[in-house]
Amino acid sequence: MELIAKSLMDAKRPLVITSYLGRNLKAPALLAELCDKLPITVVEMVGSDVCLRSDHEAYRGVTVTTHPEVLEADVILILDCDVPWIPTAGKPRTGKDTSRQCLMLF
């Protein structure tokens, strides 16, 4: 948990990808609280459950393919999601920092 928290706090473009987080009725408010504290954006994959209010500033919409936010994120936290992106439609980038060989995915 500490690694995830530190990675999110240090990230320039952190992203949360979720699909079913809203099935836990307490989770959307907790995700909104996290997004209020950190510059996190949220994408829902084929959202069948409300994971974050659509009027929240962090909300970037619902997609059935790879969302453009995935291509720009430097840390991706996947919460209750079975298919976070479609590799043939685009995939997460690797770090531009040569000392960092991979993207942080949790």
Side-chain angles (χ1 to χ4, degrees), residues 74 93-95 97 99-105:
D74 55 351
R93 66 182 174 89
T94 56
D97 178 354
S99 67
R100 214 175 94 174
Q101 296 300 314
C102 66
L103 172 75
M104 298 296 286
L105 296 174

Side-chain angles (χ1 to χ4, degrees), residues 65-80:
T65 186
T66 301
H67 194 280
E69 292 284 331
V70 170
L71 308 177
E72 298 300 321
D74 55 351
V75 171
I76 299 176
L77 176 61
I78 302 167
L79 298 173
D80 211 353

Side-chain angles (χ1 to χ4, degrees), residues 23-94:
R23 290 182 181 177
N24 176 332
L25 299 179
K26 295 178 183 178
L30 295 171
L31 180 57
E33 186 178 335
L34 179 65
C35 293
D36 290 341
K37 293 179 180 180
L38 297 172
I40 296 173
T41 56
V42 177
V43 171
E44 293 178 335
M45 293 297 295
V46 191
S48 61
D49 299 284
V50 175
C51 300
L52 185 67
R53 295 183 336 264
S54 62
D55 64 346
H56 193 283
E57 66 181 289
Y59 186 74
R60 295 297 183 266
V62 176
T63 187
V64 295
T65 186
T66 301
H67 194 280
E69 292 284 331
V70 170
L71 308 177
E72 298 300 321
D74 55 351
V75 171
I76 299 176
L77 176 61
I78 302 167
L79 298 173
D80 211 353
C81 180
D82 46 6
V83 182
W85 57 81
I86 308 298
T88 57
K91 56 187 175 183
R93 66 182 174 89
T94 56

